[in-house]
Amino acid sequence: EDYYLTLGASIADFPVLGNDTAKIFAGLGIHTVEHLLLAYSQFVADELKRPGISAQTVRLWQSHMSLMCFVPGVSLNDAQVLAANDITSPEALFNADARLVAAEIDKFLRTDRGRRFASLRSRYTRDRIAELQQFARTHRKRWQEAREHFTWLERPTRPAPAEATYSGARRAPAS
């Protein structure tokens, strides 16, 4: 039961912006996976100032990271395929019907978006999804404890105006 990503891992281990990921995120005070999971997605998107990177993109990265950090055996490709099929957290995986998820993934792999993952089709059988679900169940307590701090799926993309600012990427952008 190995995790593909850990909270303390360097943000360079999640190279969403290519080889310069660590350098780019360091400018925002984001050095680890945990830092990005704590960050407000709108702030990160605004500060990155890169075309095509929106708060929703950053949230998607956070979803990928949550699956990789809290469900053993979930690779980046797995997280991308799961998220494309509305499995965006360990809790969503835990609660899903493995048979239905496998069927939806099979449909997805036949779409233009899913074709790049088609060679990995054997990773997304009903049995494999059920195995990942079992891992999510086994490690559910760890996820539930962490989500008290990492509420990125439920919170707004930017902090409420009255919320105190925090150093690094959690601070609210100036209005």
Side-chain angles (χ1 to χ4, degrees):
E1 292 182 13
D2 292 324
Y3 294 95
Y4 278 81
L5 203 57
T6 63
L7 295 174
S10 167
I11 196 67
D13 292 344
F14 191 75
V16 293
L17 300 176
N19 293 335
D20 292 333
T21 295
K23 181 180 175 185
I24 293 164
F25 278 109
L28 305 180
I30 297 173
H31 303 280
T32 66
V33 167
E34 184 175 27
H35 292 156
L36 185 54
L37 289 174
L38 283 168
Y40 284 95
S41 55
Q42 187 65 56
F43 174 80
V44 173
D46 290 348
E47 292 298 308
L48 285 175
K49 297 179 178 100
R50 291 186 169 241
I53 296 181
S54 65
Q56 288 74 25
T57 303
V58 176
R59 285 239 176 156
L60 186 59
W61 296 341
Q62 291 170 324
S63 293
H64 295 159
M65 289 175 152
S66 73
L67 288 161
M68 294 172 69
C69 286
F70 293 98
V71 182
V74 173
S75 68
L76 178 56
N77 284 330
D78 297 338
Q80 290 171 324
V81 169
L82 289 168
N85 288 277
D86 297 324
I87 305 295
T88 57
S89 71
E91 193 71 18
L93 179 58
F94 173 83
N95 288 314
D97 179 318
R99 182 182 50 81
L100 295 175
V101 170
E104 288 302 311
I105 288 174
D106 189 56
K107 288 180 199 171
F108 169 72
L109 295 176
R110 291 185 219 155
T111 67
D112 287 341
R113 262 182 71 214
R115 268 193 204 118
R116 72 183 183 113
F117 301 104
S119 66
L120 303 172
R121 186 176 304 278
S122 64
R123 290 186 61 81
Y124 308 113
T125 64
R126 184 188 55 77
D127 289 343
R128 174 68 174 138
I129 300 300
E131 179 183 43
L132 292 176
Q133 266 189 321
Q134 184 56 45
F135 290 151
R137 281 187 189 100
T138 303
H139 298 272
R140 188 173 191 214
K141 183 176 180 179
R142 185 173 167 266
W143 162 249
Q144 288 176 325
E145 289 171 357
R147 87 180 273 163
E148 291 177 20
H149 305 287
F150 307 127
T151 57
W152 59 90
L153 294 174
E154 288 81 22
R155 73 175 176 214
T157 56
R158 64 172 81 232
E163 192 171 313
T165 60
Y166 178 82
S167 65
R170 287 187 68 176
R171 70 176 181 264
S175 298

